[in-house]
Structure formats: structure tokens, C-alpha cells
Amino acid sequence: MDRALTTEPIGPPEPDRPTEPIEPDRPTDPVTDTHTHTVPAAPEPPPLRPGRRLAARAAGLLLLAPALAATCRALDTDAVTPVPQLLSFLPWLALPAGLAVLLAAAARRRALVFLSVLVLTATGWASLPHTPRLVTSYGLPLARVRVLAANVQFGRATDALVATVRRERPHLVFVSECDRACGRSLATALAAELPHRAAVDADGSVGSVLLSAYPLRDERVVPAAMGMPGATVEIAGRPVRLQLAHPLPPLPRQVHRWKRELGRLADTAAGRAPDQPFLMAGDFNASQDHAAFRAVLRAGRLQDAARLAHSSRTPTWPTDAPLPPYVQIDHVLVSEDFTVDRLRFLDLAGSDHRAVLAALDLRGER
């Protein structure tokens, strides 16, 4: 009998294995998923060490004054206190700005280094002579005129001024802070050299005297807290208008008065006849970095003789302080009818100002 061929299982049958469910797609985590190619977050800057933190803070503080002064200089404004006072130090503010660059580099802060370099550059740019340089007259020279501007500090430098006048022999002398005794002494001592005078006779810093080798006429005074006389002289057949300048200093509580008096000088300069030579000299209590002073130049179409002589950064004040003088506030301003042959700054014993002596050539019409 045939037997069916069958395959006998060797072992017990294997039970069915359950099927694993297929999980749905999950959102990838850019931080934990190793299969994604995302850019990792930028690491935070390491904390500053105490020494570097101190250097960074010091650099920031050093930038405040030069940044404020350079910004106001660029905006052509004197603003309010402390800006007018800071502008008197403008060229010197490059020192704290330069030190800030070094401290920022020591702190290893790139942004602070960039900011420090920017402020240093702006301070250097603002310190350049940006006052307008107008075209001077090219007419033939008619006369050499020597002009001296001096502040005698309440009359204390009167004797020194007399000696200077006799040595330098100027034709016009603008004297600030010349009290009554000073005025009498100058009138007596210089009667032969400078016999003509226009004055505001007053005590202390209010008194001022304009001395001339030429006859004076049409005397007028610009209203101000301190004397600012003016007059007209005739030189080589041309009438020349003279104006002494001595506005108040820009002290914190009188900046508005300082601006107002410089504004009156600007109005005086603007009111001159277009073809009339003009000289304005004295203690302006302002430098080329002050907008109120530059307004005087623009209004009268005037030029600073010191700039024409390439000496616009020679300081004239203060000469009696422990530190050397740091700002030029004594000026001789000229119209386009004058050219500058030579300009010098002279020390006056007893005064806190240097005197300015300018040798000018009055030229004829073009």
C-alpha cells in the first residue's frame, strides 16, 4: 500500500510575530536630530575679565566729551552748557579719544574699537580750520597797517603794553579790560605814538580803549556788558571801519548772553558797506570752533588773520595757569581789502592773554 510522503516538523511550530506599527513622520529637531544640516546658534561672547571690563567702561566714558563736541561742531551749533566749554578744548579732545582706542583694543571689543576710531576721526576732522576762506583783494597795496589786539587783564599789563607799543610801533591798538587808570596811563604814555582814541571809560573788565595813529570819527559803541567801541579812520584815502570786540565769556549761566553779544558783533559786521574795508579785533572769548564766532565771519565776509597766516591753532589763553595756553580766543578779523604779511603772538607780563600783532597790507580796489 502506497504511503503519502509528508514532512514532519522537527520542532514545535513557531508562533506568529506581531507586526510593528509604522510611526508617522515626526518633525525634526534642529538641535537633537543628527541627520539635519542646520546652522548652529552663534555662541555668546565670553564674559569679560574684570580688567577688560574696566578698560571697556573707561573707554566708553572717555568717548563722551569728544563725541559730543565733534557732533555739535559738525552740526554748526554751540547748543547749551557744557558744549561751548567743551568746544574750547576741541583739538585736545583727540587725546581722550585716542586713549579710548587703546583701552577698547585692550578690552578686545571690536565694536568698541570701531566706535573709538570713528570718534577719534571725527574729532580730528572737526579740529581742522573749516572757516570759509574767501578770495582776498588783488588790488595794489596802498599802505602797511600794523594792528595790535591786547587784553591787559583789569589794567595789570598796562606797563607791558606801553613797552610793547613802543617796541613794535603799531598804528592801531585794540585794548580790552582797560580800566580808568589804564586808560589815563595809555593816553599819557602814548600821546605821541597814538594820539587818537575811542574808549568806554569804566572800571574793571568793562573798560576798553581803541588807540589810533589816524584821526577817528563816527564813534559808536556796540551794546554789551563790557565795552566794545568802534570808529572810522581814513588810511591812504580809504575810510576803514574799526570795531573792538569783547563779549562775555561762555560761562555756564551766561551762554545765552555770550551768544547774544557775538550776534551783535555779527550784525555790526554785516552792516558795513560792501566796498568799505573793515577791521574787528580783540578778545572774542570764542574760538574758531564756536558756531557763534563763525557766524561773525560769515555775516561780515571776514577772515581770521591768524588763519591766513597759518597760525589758527596758536593758543592765546590762559597764560597764567599751571598748564600752558590751550585755546585761541584773541583775533584780528579783516575784510577782503586786506592781506596778511605777518602775524605774531606776544606775551604781556601781567596779563592772562597773549597779544596778537598783525602786519596787514591795505589794498586798492580791484
Side-chain angles (χ1 to χ4, degrees), residues 6-366:
T6 60
T7 303
E8 295 289 336
I10 301 177
E14 184 175 342
D16 294 334
R17 284 180 287 183
T19 305
E20 293 183 3
I22 300 176
E23 295 184 4
D25 293 335
R26 292 176 297 176
T28 59
D29 187 344
V31 178
T32 59
D33 195 337
T34 59
H35 298 286
T36 58
H37 299 281
T38 59
V39 179
E44 295 184 0
L48 287 177
R49 297 177 182 176
R52 294 179 183 174
R53 185 182 300 112
L54 180 61
R57 290 178 179 176
L61 291 175
L62 287 171
L63 290 177
L64 292 178
L68 178 60
T71 300
C72 290
R73 175 65 178 81
L75 296 176
D76 196 30
T77 178
D78 294 320
V80 297
T81 298
V83 174
Q85 295 82 12
L86 286 176
L87 287 171
S88 299
F89 295 90
L90 182 57
W92 303 99
L93 293 180
L95 296 177
L99 182 57
V101 173
L102 299 178
L103 290 174
R108 298 186 181 180
R109 291 317 234 181
R110 293 183 179 179
L112 187 57
V113 171
F114 174 79
L115 178 62
S116 301
V117 171
L118 181 64
V119 172
L120 177 60
T121 303
T123 305
W125 172 84
S127 300
L128 296 175
H130 293 291
T131 50
R133 184 165 187 171
L134 308 178
V135 177
T136 58
S137 173
Y138 292 99
L140 295 175
L142 301 177
R144 171 64 56 86
V145 183
R146 290 186 297 275
V147 178
L148 179 67
N151 182 315
V152 292
Q153 195 181 16
F154 310 109
R156 297 170 186 164
T158 301
D159 292 340
L161 177 61
V162 170
T164 299
V165 169
R166 288 174 174 168
R167 182 180 68 250
E168 303 294 343
R169 305 186 67 80
H171 303 98
L172 299 169
V173 180
F174 298 75
V175 189
S176 305
E177 296 192 18
C178 182
D179 60 9
R180 299 178 193 276
C182 164
R184 290 192 298 268
S185 297
L186 294 179
T188 301
L190 302 176
E193 297 89 344
L194 302 168
H196 310 284
R197 66 194 297 268
V200 173
D201 292 319
D203 296 322
S205 63
V206 180
S208 295
V209 179
L210 173 57
L211 301 172
S212 172
Y214 313 100
L216 299 175
R217 56 183 171 84
D218 192 18
E219 298 179 15
R220 282 174 282 176
V221 176
V222 175
M226 296 184 286
M228 295 198 291
T232 299
V233 299
E234 186 169 314
I235 304 175
R238 299 195 67 183
V240 179
R241 186 65 192 175
L242 310 177
Q243 180 60 56
L244 187 147
H246 193 206
L248 287 168
L251 299 178
R253 295 185 179 181
Q254 60 186 35
V255 169
H256 64 289
R257 298 177 64 190
W258 168 75
K259 290 181 179 180
R260 183 170 63 240
E261 293 185 1
L262 280 169
R264 289 172 180 166
L265 288 174
D267 293 340
T268 300
R272 73 179 179 93
D275 58 345
Q276 183 180 31
F278 189 85
L279 284 173
M280 181 181 289
D283 171 12
F284 284 77
N285 277 312
S287 74
Q288 62 174 309
D289 300 311
H290 290 106
F293 175 75
R294 295 193 299 275
V296 176
L297 297 177
R298 288 193 298 267
R301 305 177 305 281
L302 305 176
Q303 302 177 79
D304 193 337
R307 185 187 172 194
L308 296 178
H310 308 289
S311 303
S312 60
R313 284 299 179 191
T314 302
T316 62
W317 183 87
T319 59
D320 61 346
L323 296 176
Y326 59 83
V327 63
Q328 184 181 118
I329 60 175
D330 301 271
H331 308 274
V332 174
L333 308 185
V334 300
S335 64
E336 63 272 15
D337 306 277
F338 292 93
T339 55
V340 179
D341 178 72
R342 188 181 181 191
L343 187 136
R344 290 186 290 146
F345 300 91
L346 310 175
D347 291 327
L348 286 180
S351 175
D352 57 345
H353 290 250
R354 285 174 175 162
V356 183
L357 178 64
L360 310 175
D361 286 327
L362 174 62
R363 295 181 175 270
E365 298 180 3
R366 283 187 270 180

